[in-house]
Amino acid sequence: MIRIAIQSKGRLYEESVNLLKNIGIEVDAPKRKLLSRSLTFPIEALYLRDDDIPQVVAGGTATLGIVGQNEVAECGADVSILCPLGFGACRLSLAVPKAECYDGLAWFKGRRIATSYPNILRRFLAEKQIEATVEVITGSVEIAPAVGIADAIFDIVSSGSTLIANGLKEVETVFESEAVLIARKNLNQEEQDLIDELLFRMESETLSRGKKYLLMNLPRASMDEAIRILPAMRSPTVMPLASENWCSLHSVIDAADLWTKVRQLKAIGAEGILVMDVDKIIL
Ligand code: ATP
Ligand code: MG
């Protein structure tokens, strides 16, 4: 059996549990207990604050963890990053008061920068040879310039609206992050086998993200044209219909292209187009 550390509440909680559920692993909500054994896979969820997850995995209390890459980079825990998970996207950026004339990184020389991510910031400043003072604050970093604690901030940004609301502007993106699956180093064979199975299932999830399954009736004469419009995984599936001059065509497409493709297919005579969600793609 393996143990996976996930955030007990907060921004990553819901998607972490959903990801497990989508690959056939149901675990109880953290409200009831700190540890929850899945009945459908030899795995146990350990609910923690996100800051603690990298260390708990590095130390061996959990074999796996789901956490923001930003937390892994900040604490420098010795873990393997197995794969990005496609949620929890954000970036760590430097921001300055919006009235400042910002003219490049040299602006930060001799300034005070407030952050909850001192290690990532210090590494960045050292690499760019900028000498600045790092003021460590654990919460509400964005108010630091207004109250005079710092001249600038280094913080998590996703939409940027918090910065704007606090009279700040983002001037440098330092670190791009998303939720990742991490693992302890030096796994035994049983752990490795269970992780391989999880990764295999997760890949089918990742591949199906943003995909739609399309099926339609099409005049036989338009089939070549339709195949050009629909580059399927291998090639579209074409099936005969009772009426000889018609066929049924099935294909998987990117959801982003849906309406463009539908217009093109209608123009060559497609009818009865069905659009369906794709749950898993197993290659
Ligand atoms: P905990 O109580 O577990 O310590 P927290 O308050 O430190 O929670 P959350 O705000 O829930 O953490 O964020 C968890 C992770 O979500 C972040 O470390 C980051 O990777 C990601 N994230 C994505 N978007 C944002 C955002 N707009 N602000 C903060 N974190 C974000
Ligand atoms: Mg935290």
Side-chain angles (χ1 to χ4, degrees):
M1 187 167 74
I2 52 174
R3 189 180 280 169
I4 183 165
I6 41 190
Q7 197 189 20
S8 54
K9 59 179 170 49
R11 287 191 160 86
L12 303 180
Y13 165 71
E14 212 166 304
E15 299 216 57
S16 303
V17 172
N18 278 344
L19 170 67
L20 293 179
K21 194 172 166 194
N22 288 339
I23 60 170
I25 299 171
E26 302 253 6
V27 285
D28 280 339
K31 273 144 218 106
R32 287 201 250 154
K33 42 193 175 172
L34 192 69
L35 271 174
S36 166
R37 169 81 213 265
S38 168
L39 297 175
T40 51
F41 195 83
I43 198 168
E44 164 173 80
L46 169 63
Y47 295 107
L48 296 173
R49 289 202 56 183
D50 71 339
D51 322 47
D52 298 330
I53 292 175
Q55 289 299 359
V56 161
V57 173
T61 307
T63 317
L64 291 170
I66 296 180
V67 69
Q69 219 174 333
N70 52 315
E71 294 297 330
V72 183
E74 178 59 22
C75 78
D78 188 20
V79 294
S80 321
I81 295 184
L82 300 184
C83 60
L85 297 174
F87 59 87
C90 59
R91 55 195 187 271
L92 283 167
S93 291
L94 284 159
V96 304
K98 73 169 183 287
E100 289 290 332
C101 284
Y102 180 80
D103 52 1
L105 277 176
W107 185 92
F108 289 98
K109 284 191 176 147
R111 309 264 185 168
R112 292 166 307 155
I113 311 170
T115 189
S116 318
Y117 292 90
N119 296 328
I120 298 177
L121 177 58
R122 287 200 182 101
R123 276 200 295 272
F124 175 76
L125 293 172
E127 188 189 303
K128 301 289 179 191
Q129 300 182 326
I130 305 281
E131 292 215 10
T133 309
V134 175
E135 305 279 358
V136 183
I137 312 186
T138 51
S140 305
V141 170
E142 63 283 354
I143 61 162
V147 297
I149 298 172
D151 304 304
I153 68 162
F154 175 62
D155 202 9
I156 291 190
V157 182
S158 52
S159 71
S161 56
T162 310
L163 292 182
I164 294 166
N166 286 281
L168 299 168
K169 61 182 176 189
E170 184 177 0
V171 291
E172 304 282 346
T173 301
V174 172
F175 190 89
E176 303 265 5
S177 179
E178 70 177 286
V180 288
L181 181 70
I182 58 171
R184 202 188 68 229
K185 294 211 164 146
N186 306 317
L187 301 162
N188 65 34
Q189 194 57 50
E190 185 205 351
E191 292 169 324
Q192 191 60 61
D193 291 346
L194 290 173
I195 291 172
D196 287 347
E197 175 62 21
L198 284 185
L199 289 173
F200 171 72
R201 295 187 190 186
M202 279 181 186
E203 191 193 26
S204 75
E205 276 295 305
T206 319
L207 289 173
S208 69
R209 212 170 284 155
K211 296 279 195 268
K212 293 284 178 193
Y213 188 75
L214 213 58
L215 60 152
M216 72 212 71
N217 294 336
L218 194 74
R220 274 214 163 269
S222 297
M223 205 172 69
D224 289 346
E225 186 59 21
I227 291 172
R228 267 194 293 280
I229 297 170
L230 295 170
M233 280 185 284
R234 199 176 291 270
S235 78
T237 307
V238 181
M239 291 201 281
L241 289 179
S243 155
E244 259 181 29
N245 297 330
W246 285 79
C247 61
S248 166
L249 194 124
H250 303 212
S251 187
V252 173
I253 62 160
D254 285 331
D257 299 335
L258 177 68
W259 294 109
T260 320
K261 301 277 184 205
V262 163
R263 274 276 148 243
Q264 292 170 339
L265 292 162
K266 290 285 289 172
I268 59 167
E271 283 181 7
I273 303 175
L274 296 186
V275 183
M276 290 184 282
D277 289 337
V278 178
D279 193 34
K280 311 260 183 297
I281 294 181
I282 299 164
L283 295 177

